[in-house]
Amino acid sequence: LCAIIHYLLRGQLGWFGLTITCLVPGYAAQLLSILWFRADGHSPGCWLLVLHLLQLGLWKRYWDVLRVETGGGAGEVLAQLGDVCVLRLLEALLQTLPHLLLQAYVVVAVDPAGFIPGVSAGLSLLSLAWALVSYSHFTCLLRPGHLSPPAAVILCLLLWRTGMLSTRVLALVLFARLYSFWVFAVAGVHWLLMSFWLVAQQTDIVAQPCRWRLFNCLLGAVYIFCYINVRPGPSKTRVAVFYAVSTA
């Protein structure tokens, strides 16, 4: 909101419109949240629809998790925590990541002294990194016999994700500054390589063929910036391949 007001007051209507546009994909996570509320047997009332319209639906889910932790069972807590972690990751990838790229480009190529875009980019980076860490934390809790990792592990994961994302975003932004629209060609080649690689792995997280192809294409786009493990078992080889392609 501060970035939107900042561009509006300075008359930079192009960046103002692009910043607002970055908010629109986030409504996919809000819509999915409403559908999941309905699937769980909770008929969404007007106040719940208003919260999701204001993009506060995930905050409502976090509040529900806190309430369940005080008086519910471990299974119910884990189920609600899983819903909010997946939805938060989706929102971060669809909304926070484009916003991060846009504000980073403004800071690097347009207004290096811009305080508001810089702070907005930094907060978006931390938000995206934390969404990835929260998802990893949830998948760890799903494994039999695994307990919640200590705070030191969470901090190391956060630093790893933040460093990985910042280097990828900075590399793409600098490339876009020097070569303009050629960055889309480079990102497209990377996306194709990652998508074909995912197809070769035969990930079975989605059963239907059409949705399976769409899932691999979407995850291939995510792999331009960060690695998300979607298959059970050791992932050392897959992470090594991801870093080899990313650094190349």
Side-chain angles (χ1 to χ4, degrees), residues 169-190:
V169 169
L170 183 60
L172 288 173
V173 168
L174 290 176
F175 191 93
R177 180 185 180 184
L178 293 175
Y179 300 103
S180 187
F181 291 102
W182 281 103
V183 68
F184 294 106
V186 174
V189 171
H190 193 173

Side-chain angles (χ1 to χ4, degrees), residues 80-102:
Q80 294 203 19
L81 181 63
D83 289 347
V84 72
C85 285
V86 172
L87 289 170
R88 180 67 190 93
L89 180 60
L90 179 63
E91 183 185 54
L93 294 174
L94 293 178
Q95 177 176 299
T96 308
L97 180 57
H99 182 81
L100 169 60
L101 290 170
L102 178 64

